């Protein structure tokens, strides 16, 4: 904007006191200051507005205007509230330095001047008005599709909502962008967060107060970091709609809790169980799996309940067809199978990997039962899923199916950690000590020998050593551990110790 245009705004009633020859000079922004030396905060081209609180005597005007001229400001607007008038020494200094001087009336605030003359402020004021219309529409019951239609119409801004695992909740995004933005949402050190993607620039805002692993991100087209208040208002609208959606799911969760409790009790009524299955969207002859989940940060003393967070993550991974009931032994969900239990497990693995990639310290542990039919299978399926989830936890977080639990791994997973570690140390420490002192390979040789079912030749071939070397090493293992590797019981002990280590 030019100084001439500024003086011409009738509402501001500005008076030009000096610099008539520079009326066609442009200014690029507004800086309000009463520092006696504001030069370090100026970049040139500004309109400086000052209440003159820096002036103690006539000599101060010369010094102040000189600093402004050195910084290359475009003009000075002076208020008279502090001194009662704009002093003549300031007028003379501005004329000497060729700096236009404008008198700002007492009744006109500097903020009003800034809003009137800064185009960006005017745009934001208009945008806030449009946002308030959007907020009012959402408060009256508009859903997410209507919200994004209003954003497009009122703000000319594209919008979408993605879950932490990359599912598109609402709006329009291609799959690659949804996955990329979900990862950015999980890994961002703080929100809002601007993302430069091949398809454009987006700004991410968190929705509500859910843990990020189960959270939603509002995706706004463009860089809104300079207009964060607008994004926060829109995110609050999305959070309000999510709360509405949650109201219905709370009822479904209570029904799921009742179904699981009923299935685990003796003498359950099959008719009631069938009715419960129907509330989960599962017909009497339709296949389903029971899934058990926890999500936690190992070692953390504070944070969300692992079962509750596990249930939220399950619902996001399998939305919209699943609700999860959080209990003392993880979150449990009955999941109708469109395919096989193995395909369900792969879907869950993909989601767990996405969460682990974005939140490296988090442990997602999920157990999946075999494919089941009918109400009588719920109890056994819940037990299978629980065992599988505990095995997943023992592995440091994973997705485990029922096929994997009917092995020694389940037995090890159910043994307390301190007992398992003690058993492994007591059995194998002599071998580890010997390997450290002699730079030998007894532990690896033992593991390979057991994997080869006690075959000397197969073990030697796999280790690329002579068979006599294998015989020597195994004799040393027997001497150090006091075990006889020709005896099945001792082989089993050493095998389990290696797996428990």
């Amino acid at each position: 904007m030019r100084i001439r245009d500024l003086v011409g705004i009738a509402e501001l009633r500005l008076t030009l006191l000096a610099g008539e020859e520079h009326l066609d000079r442009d200014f690029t922004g507004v800086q309000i200051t009463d520092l006696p030396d504001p030069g370090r905060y100026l970049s040139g081209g500004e309109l400086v507005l000052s209440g003159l609180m820096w002036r103690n005597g006539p000599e101060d005007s010369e010094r102040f205007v000189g600093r402004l001229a050195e910084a290359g400001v475009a003009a000075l607007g002076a208020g008279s509230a502090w001194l009662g008038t704009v002093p003549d020494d300031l007028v003379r200094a501005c004329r000497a330095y060729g700096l236009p001087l404008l008198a700002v009336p007492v009744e006109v605030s500097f903020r009003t001047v800034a809003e009137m003359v800064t185009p960006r402020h005017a745009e934001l004021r208009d945008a806030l008005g449009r946002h308030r219309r959007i907020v009012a529409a959402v408060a009256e019951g508009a859903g997410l599709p209507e919200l994004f239609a209003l954003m497009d119409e009122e703000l000319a801004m594209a919008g979408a909502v993605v879950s932490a695992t990359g599912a598109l909740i609402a709006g329009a995004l291609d799959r690659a962008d949804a996955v990329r933005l979900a990862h950015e949402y999980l890994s961002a050190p703080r929100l809002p967060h601007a993302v430069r993607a091949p398809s454009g620039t987006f700004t991410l805002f968190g929705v509500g107060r859910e843990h990020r692993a189960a959270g939603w991100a509002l995706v706004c087209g463009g860089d809104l970091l300079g207009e964060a208040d607008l994004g926060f208002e829109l995110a609050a609208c999305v959070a309000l709609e999510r709360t509405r959606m949650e109201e219905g799911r709370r009822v479904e969760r209570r029904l799921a809790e009742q179904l699981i409790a009923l299935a685990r009790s003796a003498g359950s009524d099959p008719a009631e169980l069938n009715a419960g299955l129907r509330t989960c969207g599962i017909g009497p002859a339709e296949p389903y799996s029971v899934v058990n989940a926890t999500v936690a940060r190992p070692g953390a003393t504070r944070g969300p309940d692992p079962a509750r967070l596990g249930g939220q993550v399950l619902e996001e991974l399998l939305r919209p067809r699943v609700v999860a009931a959080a209990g003392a032994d993880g979150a449990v969900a009955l999941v109708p199978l469109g395919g096989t239990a193995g395909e369900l497990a792969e879907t869950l693995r993909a989601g767990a990997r996405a969460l682990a990639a974005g939140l490296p310290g988090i442990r997602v542990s999920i157990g999946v039962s075999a494919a089941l039919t009918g109400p009588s299978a719920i109890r056994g399926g819940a037990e299978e899923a629980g065992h599988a989830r505990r095995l997943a936890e023992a592995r440091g977080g994973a997705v485990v199916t029922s096929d994997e639990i009917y092995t020694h791994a389940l037995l090890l997973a159910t043994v307390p950690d301190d007992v398992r570690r003690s058993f492994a140390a007591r059995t194998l420490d002599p071998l580890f000590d010997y390997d450290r002192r002699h730079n030998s390979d007894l532990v690896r040789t033992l593991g390979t020998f057991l994997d080869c079912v006690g075959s000397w030749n197969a073990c030697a071939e796999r280790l690329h050593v002579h068979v006599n070397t294998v015989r020597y090493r195994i004799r040393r293992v027997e001497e150090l551990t006091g075990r006889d590797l020709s005896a099945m019981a001792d082989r089993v002990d050493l095998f389990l110790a290696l797996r428990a280590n």
Side-chain angles (χ1 to χ4, degrees), residues 25 45 130 144 163 176 260 266 301 339 362 376 384-385 409 426 430 463 498:
R25 181 181 293 174
R130 295 193 292 271
L144 293 181
S163 74
I260 298 297
T301 56
I362 207 164
S376 61
E384 277 189 0
R426 202 179 168 98
L463 292 174
L498 288 168

Side-chain angles (χ1 to χ4, degrees), residues 44 53 152-153 367 376 389:
M53 296 180 69
D152 184 57
E153 178 184 338
S376 61
R389 190 262 305 159

Side-chain angles (χ1 to χ4, degrees), residues 110-377:
F110 287 167
R111 180 179 177 181
T112 298
V113 176
E115 289 181 349
M116 290 290 290
V117 304
T118 306
R120 191 59 174 159
H121 283 210
E123 291 173 12
L124 291 178
R125 185 180 60 224
D126 292 342
L128 282 171
R130 295 193 292 271
H131 280 194
R132 291 189 182 103
R133 290 194 288 275
I134 292 173
V135 172
V138 173
E140 291 170 6
L144 293 181
E146 292 86 352
L147 169 63
F148 292 123
L150 283 168
M151 284 176 60
D152 184 57
E153 178 184 338
E154 296 280 358
L155 304 174
M157 179 192 297
V161 177
V162 296
S163 74
T165 54
L168 182 63
I169 308 297
L173 277 177
D174 64 36
R175 176 62 180 162
D177 276 338
V179 171
R180 174 195 290 269
L181 294 171
H183 177 77
E184 292 281 353
Y185 161 70
L186 286 172
S187 57
R190 63 182 60 84
L191 296 170
H193 174 62
V195 179
R196 274 75 183 177
S199 56
T201 299
F202 304 92
T203 307
L204 306 179
F205 294 84
V207 173
R209 296 181 178 275
E210 299 293 348
H211 190 283
R212 281 202 202 183
W216 288 2
L218 169 66
V219 179
C220 295
D223 186 344
L224 267 67
L225 293 182
E227 305 170 47
D229 287 349
L230 281 57
F232 287 133
E233 281 197 43
L234 293 170
C237 292
V238 177
L240 176 61
E241 181 57 21
R242 187 178 190 184
T243 300
R244 288 183 186 140
M245 295 164 67
E246 283 292 302
E247 289 300 324
R249 295 177 76 82
R250 287 193 186 98
V251 175
E252 294 175 355
R253 288 190 196 106
R254 284 196 293 272
L255 292 173
E257 289 171 9
Q258 292 168 8
L259 173 60
I260 298 297
L262 184 63
R264 285 172 168 165
S265 64
S268 305
D269 182 356
E272 286 187 75
L273 291 175
N274 265 322
L277 279 175
R278 283 195 295 272
T279 64
C280 296
I282 301 168
E286 289 184 68
Y288 64 92
S289 281
V290 182
V291 180
N292 187 303
T294 59
V295 178
R297 187 177 294 276
T301 56
R302 300 176 60 185
D305 173 65
R308 181 176 179 275
L309 183 54
Q312 292 174 329
V313 167
L314 270 186
E315 291 182 358
E316 291 303 318
L317 287 173
L318 300 174
R319 72 177 10 260
R321 57 189 175 134
V322 166
V323 293
D329 187 33
V332 180
L334 273 64
V335 183
L337 291 176
T340 66
E343 289 169 343
L344 169 62
E346 282 306 310
T347 297
L348 294 170
R349 284 192 184 98
R353 283 194 295 268
L355 291 177
L359 298 169
I362 207 164
R363 183 181 67 191
V364 181
S365 305
I366 301 176
V368 182
S369 79
L372 312 167
T373 54
S376 61

